[in-house]
Amino acid sequence: MMLNNFFKNKRYTTALVSAAFGCAILIFNFLTPMLADDYSYTFSWYDHNSIVTLKDACLSMYAHYLSWGGRIITHFIATVFLMIGKPVFNIFNAALYCWLAYLLYRYAAVHAEKGHSLIYLAVHLCIWFAVPAFGQDFLWLIGACNYLWPAAFIFTFLWPYYQYVMSGRLLTNKIIIGFMPLLGLLAGWGNENTSGAGILFIAVLLLIARKLGRKIPLWMLISFGTQILGFIFMIAAPGNYLRLESSSENTGLLLTYGGRLAVCNSMLYEYMLPFLLVYLFLFVLVCYQDIEFYKKWIAALFGITALANNYVMLVVTEYPERAALGTALFLVTGLLYCLSLQLDENHVKWACGIVCSLMAVFFIQYSYGLLDIGYTYRVYNRRIDSILQQRDAGILDIVTYRIEPKTKFNGLYGLEDLQGYPTHWLNGNTSNYFGLHTIVAFPEEKAEE
């Protein structure tokens, strides 16, 4: 009863959970240094010089669009943060993480009695456990700007549509309505699979709204149009097709798509299988409930969108774990939405017990993650100090050590670090960044020999 009353105190519990997880993520952010592509995006794609002004950043994104890829909105944001400094990014990034978690809570608990805050805590825990590349998506500067930030734009943009379908409440603030087309452009021009999933989600919401007999305001249609337009601009970037040609596979149609299908399946099986199974179990229970038809459709829509976000990656040659963020977010939101429809006084005590057990696991994993990230931070700074000392002493061909992270919560986990040959792209960019001739890195014991 005490825990139940605690979670029912919505304002206090939400603030406490937000502060706790916000501080936890902020600590992780401040312990994460510049990594991998962060060095690359300090230089302009236009003239290869350092980016020091907004004009430089704009020219760089123009060249990026033509030669590499269409994600120029997210990379522009990243470039600006690299200009300003990572400490500023850390604060904004942790705040945006909390905003995204709160949004997912609002989606999941839209029908929960008195907005039970147990669901809000569950959102944070599900993100922690379900996201395959937590550090890359939420801590690494370039990674967060490419995945966390678009996800926040997408779920923010979807909310007025979702709220209108679920409760009939229509957005009336004229200032916010005026910004909706711009937000739609940002939501569509994020990253390929999650932005596409966002378009699918809104298209189905609009169909459900019409089925419910609700009139679709003009601003909703215009904003949906700008979302689609942003997505088209991103996909149509000439750089996408230049890169696709350079990485084309010559293994035959069956082997090519069979291999890609195996990767998509393994993404669900290896990282999200428990969440998928729980979602399916709860969805079946929802289907047997005597509730309005559209609530069941919404429960199905979250799962369908998650699967679409995953299997659309069949059309690309690579599927890194960080690109599965949208799949995890839609899946856990659907799971918790179905849970909220089951959550009554008789089930709350069981839910509290499960969440408290998961909290115990979270604390253990957070401590491991903190040790891993803290170790990386210490040895990374030690490596930078050594590089600077040697450079200042006139040594411009440097041999150093490679850092090997241990957990998915580390921003460097799954990313490339400095390699053993100076022509590697990261070695070259790092050399340019520090003003060196060459730099190579080996496992620590070899580098010391």
Side-chain angles (χ1 to χ4, degrees):
M1 182 62 71
M2 182 178 65
L3 274 177
N4 191 15
N5 291 333
F6 172 77
F7 284 118
K8 280 189 174 182
N9 191 336
K10 179 181 176 183
R11 181 176 300 179
Y12 174 77
T13 308
T14 302
L16 183 62
V17 172
S18 296
F21 279 91
C23 288
I25 297 301
L26 186 63
I27 291 169
F28 273 11
N29 269 276
F30 271 102
L31 290 176
T32 302
M34 288 177 60
L35 304 169
D37 295 56
D38 293 348
Y39 289 102
S40 304
Y41 282 89
T42 61
F43 298 100
S44 174
W45 287 76
Y46 182 74
D47 57 12
H48 306 294
N49 293 323
S50 296
I51 297 173
V52 294
T53 67
L54 287 177
K55 180 182 177 181
D56 294 339
C58 291
L59 289 174
S60 179
M61 290 303 100
Y62 170 73
H64 186 281
Y65 188 80
L66 296 178
S67 62
W68 186 253
R71 297 185 193 175
I72 58 173
I73 301 295
T74 57
H75 282 114
F76 178 79
I77 294 171
T79 301
V80 171
F81 277 124
L82 287 168
M83 290 168 52
I84 297 172
K86 194 168 184 299
V88 176
F89 165 79
N90 293 335
I91 295 170
F92 278 91
N93 198 59
L96 196 71
Y97 173 89
C98 291
W99 170 246
L100 176 62
Y102 180 73
L103 275 175
L104 300 188
Y105 158 64
R106 293 293 301 275
Y107 279 89
V110 67
H111 288 307
E113 185 180 353
K114 298 182 180 180
H116 208 292
S117 297
L118 178 68
I119 298 172
Y120 183 51
L121 178 56
V123 166
H124 283 281
L125 293 174
C126 285
I127 291 174
W128 176 266
F129 292 120
V131 173
F134 188 94
Q136 290 185 34
D137 287 324
F138 298 132
L139 306 178
W140 174 37
L141 192 151
I142 290 293
C145 289
N146 272 271
Y147 294 98
L148 167 60
W149 286 67
F153 292 149
I154 291 165
F155 280 97
T156 302
F157 178 69
L158 295 180
W159 176 252
Y161 294 83
Y162 184 78
Q163 186 181 45
Y164 184 47
V165 169
M166 302 306 283
S167 64
R169 293 176 57 190
L170 189 62
L171 183 63
T172 57
N173 188 306
K174 293 183 179 180
I175 296 177
I176 298 178
I177 290 174
F179 276 103
M180 283 297 291
L182 175 60
L183 187 56
L185 191 70
L186 294 175
W189 208 332
N191 62 67
E192 294 78 8
N193 58 335
T194 312
S195 292
I199 291 173
L200 170 65
F201 198 88
I202 283 194
V204 177
L205 284 179
L206 292 175
L207 291 175
I208 295 175
R210 292 299 300 161
K211 183 71 175 179
L212 292 170
R214 291 176 182 155
K215 184 179 179 181
I216 309 297
L218 180 61
W219 65 263
M220 279 192 173
L221 297 175
I222 293 173
S223 301
F224 183 43
T226 62
Q227 183 190 23
I228 295 173
L229 192 63
F231 184 75
I232 292 172
F233 279 138
M234 177 175 59
I235 296 298
N240 288 330
Y241 303 98
L242 291 175
R243 193 151 49 101
L244 189 62
E245 289 176 7
S246 65
S247 60
S248 59
E249 300 165 298
N250 298 312
T251 56
L253 192 66
L254 183 61
L255 286 177
T256 295
Y257 285 95
R260 293 180 187 180
L261 179 62
V263 172
C264 292
N265 288 338
S266 67
M267 198 66 70
L268 290 175
Y269 184 81
E270 293 181 17
Y271 298 107
M272 299 176 227
L273 184 61
F275 298 91
L276 180 61
L277 294 178
V278 174
Y279 163 75
L280 291 173
F281 174 77
L282 293 173
F283 175 68
V284 171
L285 296 182
V286 168
C287 289
Y288 278 99
Q289 279 186 289
D290 184 19
I291 56 176
E292 296 90 335
F293 75 93
Y294 72 90
K295 294 182 181 179
K296 299 179 182 180
W297 286 11
I298 293 297
L301 178 59
F302 280 114
I304 292 169
T305 307
L307 292 176
N309 191 90
N310 183 64
Y311 285 101
V312 74
M313 299 303 287
L314 283 167
V315 303
V316 298
T317 57
E318 293 183 34
Y319 187 3
E321 284 86 354
R322 58 182 174 269
L325 175 63
T327 302
L329 296 181
F330 279 109
L331 181 60
V332 300
T333 307
L335 183 159
L336 294 173
Y337 171 81
C338 293
L339 176 65
S340 74
L341 294 176
Q342 310 289 328
L343 201 60
D344 55 26
E345 293 294 338
N346 295 324
H347 295 106
V348 164
K349 60 182 180 180
W350 298 103
C352 286
I354 293 172
V355 168
C356 288
S357 299
L358 292 176
M359 278 296 297
V361 180
F362 165 79
F363 283 126
I364 295 171
Q365 289 195 354
Y366 185 84
S367 64
Y368 281 134
L370 185 59
L371 288 172
D372 182 30
I373 295 170
Y375 174 78
T376 298
Y377 176 79
R378 182 171 62 85
V379 297
Y380 194 94
N381 284 332
R382 189 179 70 190
R383 185 171 77 177
I384 297 299
D385 290 341
S386 174
I387 291 171
L388 294 177
Q389 288 173 7
Q390 293 180 71
R391 184 195 66 182
D392 294 343
I395 303 172
L396 300 181
D397 296 292
I398 292 177
V399 177
T400 186
Y401 52 86
R402 191 178 304 146
I403 302 171
E404 298 178 359
K406 304 299 182 184
T407 68
K408 73 167 189 174
F409 310 109
N410 192 320
L412 187 58
Y413 188 81
L415 295 180
E416 291 190 88
D417 194 25
L418 294 171
Q419 299 297 304
Y421 53 97
T423 55
H424 186 269
W425 64 269
L426 180 55
N427 295 51
N429 289 327
T430 305
S431 296
N432 293 336
Y433 184 84
F434 289 107
L436 309 173
H437 289 162
T438 62
I439 186 170
V440 293
F442 301 96
E444 193 162 1
E445 62 276 7
K446 291 185 178 180
E448 291 174 352
E449 292 177 355

